[in-house]
Amino acid sequence: MKKIKTALTIAGCAAAAMMLQHPAAKAETDSDGFLRIKQGEEQYKNPFGVGVEVATLFGDPSKPGIYVLRIKWPPGIMSKPHKHPEDRHVVVLSGTWYTGTGEAFEPAKAVPLKTGGYMMHPNGKVHWDGTREEGAVIQITGYGPSGNTFSKPGEPQFGKTN
């Protein structure tokens, strides 16, 4: 009986810890630790103040470990050239997401990735990305800690494309 109580306590603590890792999503974690977030139950935040909304589905990008983010890009906005300290794997869930590489911010030269497209951002490599005439939703998976280092930190982090 003591072993069962210990196992239940450990399982309960693990489930609670999993829930604490998901501050921006309404998540359902079952007794085996499977996590489910139904479409529309993501809890988005607008951390940049420009309409780009971010939901943390798993983990915490500021800490060591795997994280999963879902990002809604409104039409006509792109991030300026920046880099991250970790590899990032990006999948386009809807819309068209435009990507560019290098220090020069040239939205007209961005490569479009439509729904289902994938791109890997290598750690430390400068890139910029966003949308044009339609918005997009992307999902990013990485291994934190993460961060953004902008090429020109004194300038705005985002630019308009429309």
Side-chain angles (χ1 to χ4, degrees):
M1 186 67 165
K2 188 174 181 178
K3 286 183 180 181
I4 292 172
K5 284 184 181 180
T6 302
L8 289 174
T9 301
I10 291 170
C13 290
M18 291 286 290
M19 292 303 289
L20 291 174
Q21 288 182 319
H22 312 290
K26 180 180 175 185
E28 295 176 14
T29 303
D30 68 17
S31 61
D32 288 329
F34 290 96
L35 173 69
R36 293 175 178 87
I37 301 170
K38 296 176 182 168
Q39 184 177 0
E41 291 184 347
E42 307 92 333
Q43 294 179 6
Y44 288 91
K45 295 180 179 182
N46 185 357
F48 308 110
V50 295
V52 176
E53 297 181 27
V54 180
T56 302
L57 302 182
F58 183 82
D60 181 341
S62 70
K63 296 179 180 172
I66 293 174
Y67 64 86
V68 180
L69 305 175
R70 191 163 292 168
I71 303 176
K72 286 184 187 179
W73 288 84
I77 191 163
M78 284 191 178
S79 63
K80 295 284 184 88
H82 64 282
K83 61 186 175 181
H84 308 283
E86 81 287 7
D87 291 345
R88 292 178 134 201
H89 301 270
V90 185
V91 176
V92 181
L93 301 179
S94 68
T96 303
W97 182 61
Y98 290 83
T99 66
T101 59
E103 298 286 341
F105 181 63
E106 302 176 282
K109 293 184 179 180
V111 177
L113 290 174
K114 295 192 176 287
T115 300
Y118 165 84
M119 182 174 187
M120 195 278 284
H121 291 163
N123 72 61
K125 299 296 181 179
V126 176
H127 61 280
W128 37 273
D129 40 44
T131 59
R132 288 189 185 160
E133 57 282 337
E134 68 175 325
V137 177
I138 63 171
Q139 188 159 299
I140 298 174
T141 303
Y143 192 91
S146 185
N148 294 324
T149 302
F150 283 84
S151 296
K152 296 180 181 176
E155 293 183 4
Q157 297 176 353
F158 293 86
K160 296 283 187 182
T161 60
N162 293 344

